Amino acid sequence: MINNLLNLKGFLNSPAGIAVFCVAAAALLILILDLNYRLFAKRLLDFIASFITVCVISPLLIVCAVISKVRSGNGSVLDYTDCVGLNGKVISVSGFAGISGPLKNLSRILDVLCGKLSVVGPKLVESGDAALIEDGAMERFSVRPGLVSPLAVSGGEQLTYEEMFAADVRYIKRREMFMDFGILICAAVKGIRGDGKKYLGEAAEKSYAQTLLQRGAITEEDVITARNYAAEASKKN
């Protein structure tokens, strides 16, 4: 018995033993994170990923902030858009005020850091649009919206808003750590290929209100009513 313990101790002190221990510890950590992904691990990984990203791209964030302050006209660095976040609460999502294109939303990594957004989650919907969504799709607001949509895997150019809402609900019911990693990889590949956000379908170019107006499903008065309702909800938050 004593010899066996000594042999085990000797093995663990060897390079091979240390490697086996590290692999086992890493596997155990991954298992714990996966089993508790919905409970706390997703938010923990979001925080770690956003913190590291902010540290790495901080020079670029500073440059964007300076450009925004100069170009915005009123000296503002960030402007904010009211969207619907976790549990249906209205959140203000940031963007660089004086910059257009992809860099404008680079500041949203800060929104992930402070817990407004997630790295992977349903597409952001502005509060005025959210007021037009039917009750059957409201479950999509039970989690944080994401910088990257799950539609990177399941979407397509012909996707409608209603199909997007249904896909978001399916994602929420199935979400797990390895699924989110797969979504990130798929989104990165599509970005490298230059596909942009085509997988978002009609949501890539038009708001939900614009889409419903074009279909004739609502009137301008309905849009104004929805925006007023959203503005009142924003004040309460």
Side-chain angles (χ1 to χ4, degrees):
M1 181 68 176
I2 295 177
N3 288 336
N4 290 335
L5 290 175
L6 290 175
N7 290 335
L8 178 60
K9 182 179 179 181
F11 173 74
L12 291 176
N13 288 330
S14 68
I18 294 173
V20 169
F21 176 80
C22 290
V23 170
L28 179 61
L29 177 61
I30 291 172
L31 179 62
I32 292 172
L33 292 175
D34 189 38
L35 292 176
N36 295 279
Y37 193 60
R38 300 186 188 188
L39 183 62
F40 70 86
K42 183 174 174 65
R43 175 61 195 139
L44 175 63
L45 293 175
D46 281 342
F47 178 83
I48 294 171
S50 58
F51 180 79
I52 293 172
T53 302
V54 168
C55 292
V56 171
I57 68 170
S58 55
L60 181 57
L61 291 173
I62 292 171
V63 170
C64 289
V66 172
I67 294 174
S68 288
K69 190 169 183 64
V70 172
R71 288 185 176 178
S72 63
N74 58 5
S76 298
V77 173
L78 299 174
D79 55 21
Y80 294 90
T81 303
D82 284 343
C83 298
V84 177
L86 177 66
N87 295 325
K89 293 184 178 179
V90 178
I91 57 173
S92 294
V93 180
S94 65
F96 284 114
I99 296 178
S100 59
L103 288 179
K104 178 178 179 63
N105 295 330
L106 195 62
S107 63
R108 289 184 180 177
I109 192 65
L110 299 173
D111 293 326
V112 177
L113 184 64
C114 68
K116 292 181 180 180
L117 304 178
S118 181
V119 175
V120 177
K123 182 184 180 298
L124 269 171
V125 173
E126 292 187 20
S127 54
D129 276 7
L132 296 168
I133 297 176
E134 295 182 356
D135 292 343
M138 295 305 289
E139 188 178 349
R140 74 184 303 278
F141 298 117
S142 64
V143 299
R144 291 178 179 85
L147 296 181
V148 178
S149 168
L151 296 174
V153 172
S154 60
E157 292 186 49
Q158 306 303 316
L159 192 79
T160 66
Y161 263 101
E162 289 75 18
E163 289 170 340
M164 181 184 80
F165 297 152
D168 289 339
V169 172
R170 288 195 299 272
Y171 162 76
I172 290 168
K173 291 178 178 179
R174 297 174 51 207
R175 70 190 187 281
E176 58 180 22
M177 185 170 67
F178 293 106
M179 176 186 289
D180 279 2
F181 285 154
I183 291 168
L184 285 173
I185 293 171
C186 190
V189 169
K190 290 187 176 182
I192 293 171
R193 290 192 317 201
D195 292 343
K197 297 288 183 72
K198 294 179 181 178
Y199 55 81
L200 292 174
E202 61 185 2
E205 301 293 337
K206 297 178 291 186
S207 70
Y208 189 43
Q210 290 172 332
T211 301
L212 293 178
L213 281 171
Q214 288 182 2
R215 295 178 188 170
I218 61 172
T219 64
E220 289 285 356
E221 185 178 346
D222 294 325
V223 175
I224 294 171
T225 301
R227 288 175 179 171
N228 289 339
Y229 175 82
E232 289 299 320
S234 179
K235 290 177 182 178
K236 292 178 181 178
N237 286 302

